[in-house]
Structures are given as C-alpha cells and as structure tokens.
Amino acid sequence: MIRLHHAHQTRSMRSLWLLYELDIPFEIAIQPFDKSLRRPEYLAINPAGRVPALEIDGTTMFETGAITEYLCEQYPDKGLGRLPGDPERREWLVWVHFSETISQHTATLTQQHVMLYEDHMRSPIVTKLEAKRLEKCYAALEAHLSTPGHTYLLKSRFSAADISVGQAIYMSRHFALTDAFPVLTAWYDTLTERPAFKAALPGPQDTGLYDRDFYPVLA
C-alpha cells in the first residue's frame, strides 16, 4: 500500500505528479495546510509537520527528493529515473535537486505574500530580491534547455527531473513570470499538457495555497 499525504499547491504536488506518471496504485490523504500538520498524529508520520509524507512498504518517507529517488528505483521499468551506472545519472540528480533551489525562493515569497497577513510584516526588498533570484534560476534553465538535443532536461527523454523542476516552476510562476524565457516557457507548456500534471492540480472545489495566479512584487 502506498499513501501520499498531500496539501494542494505545495511541494507534495511533486510527489503526487510522479505517482500519477508512474501509473501505480496509491491513496491520497489530503491534509489542510495549517496548524493541524503539527498535531501529534501527523507528527508521528512526518516529524517536521510538513507535506509530503509517503507511507510505503510499512515505512514512512518525507522530503520530495528522497521520495523521487526511491520511487524511481522501485519502478525502474517506468523509465523516469536514472539508476547508478546510467550515463545520465549525475545530470538527473542535479536537476531533481535543483527543484529545491527554486522552491526555497518560492517558499520565501509565499511567506511574504500569503502567510504574513499584516502589511507591516512584509518586505518589498525581500520580495524583489527573491523574485530576481527566481529569474536567475529561469536563466539557468533557459540556457540548458537551449542546448542542442534538449527537448527535456535530459537529452534522452522525459524523466522525473522534469517533474521535479516543472512542479517548482508551477509554484514559482505565482511570483516571477517566465515570459522573458521562451525556451523555458515552451518546455513548461509541454509539461502542463501531460495528463498526470493535470491530475495533480487542485480541482475546482479544492482549496489551494494561492488565491490568485500571480502576486506582483510589493511596493
């Protein structure tokens, strides 16, 4: 049995998308993104009080990078991972974990725009700096995807690296648009047409983390 503890529009979407791409049986336990993640019952599953948490094979995992690596190793026939010895292994690992670089900047912006309710708590300087740092990440991806043979992050084919970074971009685009990066935007548009990506999105009746598509830099 596989059960994913998931909150809409959080990092756990990365694991949810991967599970849909793997096309394996699993259950979803929807968690509200609030203080209830600190209740003892949930802390017994993820001691950090965060999502995702993955119950699998009688154990519990957390951290999206670890979950991605483990699931891809458990289901190598799906072709989404790159096992030790594969010539693309190092590059695959780099991009799988680069998603967290993007997500850290997005997390700071989410705090500034969404979690801090009082205007005096928010910092226009922080929002400007973090949005620019996201654009630096976009530039790195633009350069990589512009090299010959890179329809996806790896030359060979679509992989969990695209899932990890693609989900990070889904989140980051709430704060920094990709319009100035046409190759990155085209790659992202291709990913968002995948049925598994669409399945991982919150439904019309679901409450997500964001109440708008884009949050401009604070003035």
Side-chain angles (χ1 to χ4, degrees):
M1 184 276 293
I2 297 175
R3 178 184 292 116
L4 176 70
H5 295 265
H6 167 64
H8 298 298
Q9 293 185 317
T10 68
R11 285 178 177 88
S12 62
M13 178 186 168
R14 194 173 300 158
S15 301
L16 181 60
W17 180 5
L18 174 59
L19 286 165
Y20 280 126
E21 292 281 1
L22 288 170
D23 193 24
I24 56 178
F26 70 95
E27 299 175 358
I28 307 174
I30 299 296
Q31 301 291 343
F33 193 71
D34 57 26
K35 292 181 179 179
S36 65
L37 290 175
R38 305 292 174 147
R39 67 190 187 277
E41 296 84 356
Y42 188 73
L43 290 175
I45 299 171
N46 185 339
R50 297 184 177 188
V51 287
L54 187 76
E55 297 182 67
I56 183 169
D57 299 332
T59 62
T60 303
M61 297 186 67
F62 45 94
E63 297 299 325
T64 58
I67 290 170
T68 295
E69 289 189 48
Y70 185 77
L71 287 174
C72 288
E73 289 168 4
Q74 292 296 106
Y75 301 94
D77 57 305
K78 302 295 184 177
L80 295 177
R82 297 296 183 270
L83 300 181
D86 189 297
E88 290 186 321
R89 170 73 172 178
R90 284 182 294 180
E91 189 174 18
W92 182 83
L93 287 170
V94 166
W95 293 116
V96 165
H97 293 281
F98 183 69
S99 62
E100 270 304 295
T101 297
I102 301 169
S103 293
Q104 281 298 107
H105 298 311
T106 301
T108 299
L109 287 162
T110 299
Q111 182 187 60
Q112 289 288 319
H113 287 279
V114 179
M115 310 309 291
L116 299 180
Y117 298 104
E118 300 292 337
D119 286 343
H120 72 274
M121 299 177 178
R122 299 170 173 171
S123 169
I125 295 175
V126 170
T127 60
K128 183 177 181 179
L129 283 173
E130 291 298 308
K132 288 298 182 182
R133 286 167 177 158
L134 283 176
E135 290 176 2
K136 291 289 186 181
C137 294
Y138 295 171
L141 287 163
E142 180 82 2
H144 178 72
L145 290 165
S146 297
T147 57
H150 277 96
T151 303
Y152 297 107
L153 289 175
L154 304 182
K155 286 186 177 181
S156 59
R157 62 189 182 277
F158 174 82
S159 75
D162 298 287
I163 296 171
S164 295
V165 178
Q167 187 277 333
I169 297 297
Y170 164 76
M171 299 282 287
S172 69
R173 279 165 50 103
H174 287 85
F175 306 105
L177 300 176
T178 61
D179 298 357
F181 306 92
V183 179
L184 169 62
T185 299
W187 166 81
Y188 178 76
D189 288 345
T190 297
L191 297 185
T192 59
E193 289 301 313
R194 299 183 69 87
F197 172 85
K198 294 178 180 180
L201 293 170
Q205 305 304 317
D206 294 325
T207 300
L209 186 59
Y210 304 114
D211 62 6
R212 65 190 79 171
D213 293 333
F214 183 71
Y215 295 80
V217 171
L218 297 174

